[in-house]
Structures are given as C-alpha cells and as structure tokens.
Amino acid sequence: QVQLVESGGGLVQPGGSLRLSCKASGSIFSIGIMGWYRQVPGKERELVATISPSNRTSYTDSVKGRFTISRDNAKNTVYLQMNSLKPEDTAVYICNTDARTTVASRVVNYWGEGTLVTVSS
C-alpha cells in the first residue's frame, strides 16, 4: 500500500503564496504521474496540475502562470507552489499518484486526504 500525506495548507490573503507538499510512503517500487486536484463543497473535483516522472507538467487554465508543480523523485514528494492566490482558489487540495508496489504489480491510483487552502482577507 501507498500512503499520501499533504501539508502546507492554511489561510492566506489574496495575492499571497503557499507551498503545498505531498509525500508518498509505504511499499513503493515506482511512482508515475503525480498530481494535485482541488475540491469545493458542492462542486466536482478539479484537476489542477500534473507532473510526469520526467518532469513534464500540465496545468488547468485558471492556474497557469500562477502555480508551479514540481517533484523530488528521491523523496517521493510532489510540491505545488501557489502564487498570486485568489479567493476562487479556496478549496481542499488533494494529492494523487499512480504507483507500483512491486516490479510485477499493476499500477494503482492513490489519493491523499487533502489539505485546506483558504484565500480570504
């Protein structure tokens, strides 16, 4: 099994910055694409950004130019640097990854429990 633990959420004023971290732990053979989603109560979960093992990134249009996703493969950790935050960025940010637990196992998708980001004055 693989566990994902997010950290770094909190309350920030509009225009401010936060850096989220998500560390994968457990029985890990390899980790594939890592990503961040966000969810607001009553709305569908939204894909924010993804990063491949070779550091190819993608972003949803609303965060392009403001958010940066990165990863440290040695630490099995993915980060989300969020700048110029807006009230509409308020959400629970949830980490996601594909991983194998052994060389012969199938790829399984894992989710963290999320960290709350509140952008408000």
Side-chain angles (χ1 to χ4, degrees), residues 81-121:
Q81 177 67 44
M82 305 185 294
N83 299 328
S84 302
L85 282 160
K86 304 175 181 180
E88 51 263 43
D89 294 317
T90 295
V92 174
Y93 283 73
I94 307 162
C95 180
N96 176 268
T97 190
D98 292 329
R100 293 179 187 268
T101 54
T102 71
V103 64
S105 66
R106 62 185 178 93
V107 175
V108 176
N109 190 253
Y110 295 93
W111 293 91
E113 294 189 351
T115 184
L116 177 63
V117 172
T118 303
V119 184
S120 175
S121 55

Side-chain angles (χ1 to χ4, degrees), residues 42-106:
K43 294 188 177 181
E44 290 189 1
R45 187 170 292 185
E46 176 189 26
L47 176 60
V48 176
T50 63
I51 185 166
S52 73
S54 60
N55 291 321
R56 180 174 296 181
T57 60
S58 67
Y59 300 90
T60 191
D61 286 346
S62 63
V63 308
K64 285 180 180 177
R66 300 188 298 122
F67 291 10
T68 302
I69 190 170
S70 61
R71 64 192 285 167
D72 184 331
N73 292 329
K75 296 181 179 180
N76 292 332
T77 300
V78 62
Y79 306 96
L80 187 67
Q81 177 67 44
M82 305 185 294
N83 299 328
S84 302
L85 282 160
K86 304 175 181 180
E88 51 263 43
D89 294 317
T90 295
V92 174
Y93 283 73
I94 307 162
C95 180
N96 176 268
T97 190
D98 292 329
R100 293 179 187 268
T101 54
T102 71
V103 64
S105 66
R106 62 185 178 93

Side-chain angles (χ1 to χ4, degrees), residues 16-30:
S17 299
L18 280 177
R19 189 191 194 210
L20 306 183
S21 300
C22 172
K23 181 173 179 58
S25 63
S27 179
I28 299 173
F29 172 75
S30 64

